[in-house]
Amino acid sequence: MSALHELPDPPSDAISSLRFSPAGNRLAVSSWDRTVSIYHHHSADSDSDTLFVRQTGIQCRAPILDVCWGDDDSTLFAVGLDQDVRLLRPDDGDNQQEVLSTHSAPSNKLVYSRDHSILISTSWDGTMHIHHPPTHQYIRVRLAAKPFALSLTASRLVVAMADRKVSVYDLSALRALLDQTGGSTAREDLLDITPWQQRESSLKFMSRALSCMPDGTGFATSSIEGRVGVEWFDPEDHKRTYAFKCHRQTSTLPPPPAEDGAEQAQQQQEEIDIVYPVNALSFHPTHGTFATGGGDGVVALWDANTKRRIKQYGKLGASISALDFSPDGGSFLAVAASPGFEDGQEDSEPDPSLVRVFVRVLAEGEAKGKPAK
C-alpha cells in the first residue's frame, strides 16, 4: 500500500499548481498568497521523519497561477495576475527575479520544453508567448480563443481553449520561427500561426485540465462537468477517442411534504448526481496511466488504454487543485488540496487549515495498468 505524507508549512491561500523539479528532489508549489514555496526531498539517511520540508519561499508581486521548472533544479518560471512571465532562481538568497515578457492580461499557464529550450506561456488576453530564456528573446502568437489548459510532449504542444477549441503545435516549428524572427518583442507584432492540428474537444463543457501522454501519442482533458476525454494525435487513432464520467456522487433528496394528510412514507425519494469539476490531471511517466483530482476531494488512477479505474483514494477534506507525478519513474504523486467553489463560498476567504500539500509514496506497481477483461 502507498503511504500519504502531509508536507509542513503549506501556503496560506489556495494552491494554483505544483511541479516536481527535473531531478525530482524539489517540489515547487504556487499559491494565491503570492508565494512560490520550494520543498526539498530529505535523503534516506536523514534524521527527519518528514519526506519533504519547505526550503524557501519566493515572494512575488501578485497571486501566482502556474509554475514550471527549466533545464535543472535551480531554474524556475512563474506566471500570475501581474501579467509577467518571470524567471526565478530558488538558490539566490536575494530573491532576484527576471521578467521575460509581459502579457496584456493575467498569464495563466506555462510549460518548458527541455528538448527545444523554449518556454511557452498563455494568457487570458488570447495570446501565447514563445520564449528562449537564455537570450530573453520571445515572440507573440495569437490563439484561436481564450486558453484554459496547456501541456506538451517531446515534439508537440497542446492548448485547450474556450468554445471547445484545441490547437496542437509542432515544437520544432515554434523554435524555428523564434530563431528566424530573432524574437520580435513589440506589442503590435502578433503572429498568426497555423497549428499542426486543430480540433474540437470531445468534452462539451469548459476544459479545466490537460495532460499529454508520456509516449507522445495523445492527451487527456478534463472539464468542469465531471468528465475526462482521451484523444490521440494520429488520425488513424481518432476512432479510439472516448470520454467518461468521474468525480460524481449520488445523493438522495428527501421526499416533498405530503399533501392533504397523505402518508409521507408513500412519497418517492429522488436520487440525484452531484457533479464535481475535474481540476487536475497528470500522466504517470512510465506506465502511461493517469491520475485525476476533483472538486470532491478525491484522487483516482485510471488506465487510458483499457478504460478502467485502477484505484480511488479517500477524500482529503478539500477540492483537489493540482497533481504531479515525480519524474523518477513516478514513485511520488504530489497532491494539492484547497477550498474550491463547490460549496458556494467563493466570495469568502478560504480557510487556511484546508490548504494542504501531500506527497503519496506509491507502492511498486500501484499505478500500473491492469489487463483488459
Side-chain angles (χ1 to χ4, degrees):
M1 288 291 295
S2 60
L4 185 66
H5 297 261
E6 184 170 357
L7 275 55
D9 305 316
S12 60
D13 204 341
I15 297 169
S16 55
S17 70
L18 49 72
R19 293 287 184 270
F20 280 107
S21 63
N25 295 322
R26 287 179 167 180
L27 179 68
V29 181
S30 65
S31 169
W32 281 78
D33 66 3
R34 301 186 300 160
T35 63
V36 178
S37 300
I38 309 297
Y39 293 85
H40 182 73
H41 180 221
H42 269 261
S43 59
D45 56 358
S46 171
D47 294 333
S48 174
D49 293 331
T50 306
L51 189 65
F52 283 79
V53 294
R54 192 174 187 268
Q55 186 178 33
T56 186
I58 302 173
Q59 191 75 19
C60 298
R61 295 195 314 167
I64 306 301
L65 300 183
D66 203 6
V67 290
C68 72
W69 294 89
D71 289 313
D72 52 40
D73 287 22
S74 63
T75 304
L76 189 65
F77 304 100
V79 292
L81 294 187
D82 64 358
Q83 307 177 16
D84 291 336
V85 181
R86 294 179 176 269
L87 167 62
L88 313 176
R89 298 194 183 277
D91 296 329
D92 289 350
D94 53 5
N95 191 26
Q96 288 193 0
Q97 305 173 25
E98 297 180 50
V99 176
L100 302 180
S101 74
T102 301
H103 289 271
S104 59
S107 182
N108 61 334
K109 298 294 178 181
L110 83 170
V111 290
Y112 182 77
S113 169
R114 282 182 281 278
D115 296 282
H116 298 86
S117 299
I118 54 175
L119 174 73
I120 300 101
S121 62
T122 60
S123 167
W124 294 338
D125 64 10
T127 68
M128 175 171 66
H129 289 186
I130 315 298
H131 311 78
H132 183 232
T135 62
H136 284 65
Q137 294 179 330
Y138 70 95
I139 55 176
R140 294 182 172 91
V141 176
R142 192 192 316 273
L143 294 172
K146 183 179 180 180
F148 294 142
L150 189 66
S151 186
L152 50 70
T153 70
S155 60
R156 310 294 180 200
L157 171 73
V158 185
V159 188
M161 296 164 285
D163 303 323
R164 301 177 63 190
K165 296 181 184 296
V166 177
S167 291
V168 184
Y169 294 88
D170 182 272
L171 287 170
S172 296
L174 293 179
R175 176 58 198 265
L177 183 62
L178 177 61
D179 292 339
Q180 290 167 10
T181 60
S184 178
T185 59
R187 280 192 177 271
E188 58 270 17
D189 293 336
L190 190 57
L191 304 178
D192 289 297
I193 300 175
T194 301
W196 176 71
Q197 275 186 4
Q198 291 177 308
R199 55 172 70 197
E200 186 177 80
S201 172
S202 59
L203 304 178
K204 295 181 179 180
F205 291 85
M206 187 180 85
S207 296
R208 180 57 66 88
L210 168 67
S211 185
C212 287
M213 298 176 185
D215 63 2
T217 59
F219 60 93
T221 55
S222 68
S223 77
I224 61 172
E225 192 251 343
R227 290 178 187 265
V228 170
V230 182
E231 306 184 33
W232 281 263
F233 296 132
D234 190 333
E236 293 295 320
D237 289 329
H238 285 183
K239 59 182 177 294
R240 299 174 60 191
T241 294
Y242 66 93
F244 63 92
K245 299 177 182 178
C246 55
H247 297 280
R248 296 164 180 243
Q249 295 178 1
T250 301
S251 180
T252 302
L253 293 178
E259 296 180 3
D260 301 327
E263 292 290 335
Q264 185 167 350
Q266 296 178 357
Q267 300 288 330
Q268 289 285 336
Q269 290 187 334
E270 181 183 0
E271 288 191 348
I272 61 170
D273 270 347
I274 301 175
V275 180
Y276 293 91
V278 185
N279 299 320
L281 280 171
S282 183
F283 268 94
H284 191 279
T286 56
H287 297 320
T289 55
F290 63 92
T292 60
D296 54 354
V298 170
V299 174
L301 299 180
W302 308 86
D303 189 326
N305 291 312
T306 62
K307 307 179 185 179
R308 297 178 62 192
R309 188 175 70 191
I310 302 170
K311 197 171 186 65
Q312 179 169 300
Y313 300 103
K315 290 186 177 182
L316 293 179
S319 177
I320 305 303
S321 57
L323 295 170
D324 194 34
F325 281 105
S326 60
D328 59 344
S331 58
F332 298 143
L333 174 61
V335 182
S338 300
F341 299 147
E342 296 80 18
D343 55 4
Q345 303 296 317
E346 58 266 25
D347 294 330
S348 304
E349 289 294 323
D351 183 351
S353 67
L354 297 178
V355 180
R356 305 164 77 187
V357 183
F358 301 90
V359 171
R360 182 175 292 279
V361 183
L362 298 176
E364 184 177 357
E366 184 171 349
K368 191 174 183 179
K370 299 178 181 179
K373 291 183 179 180

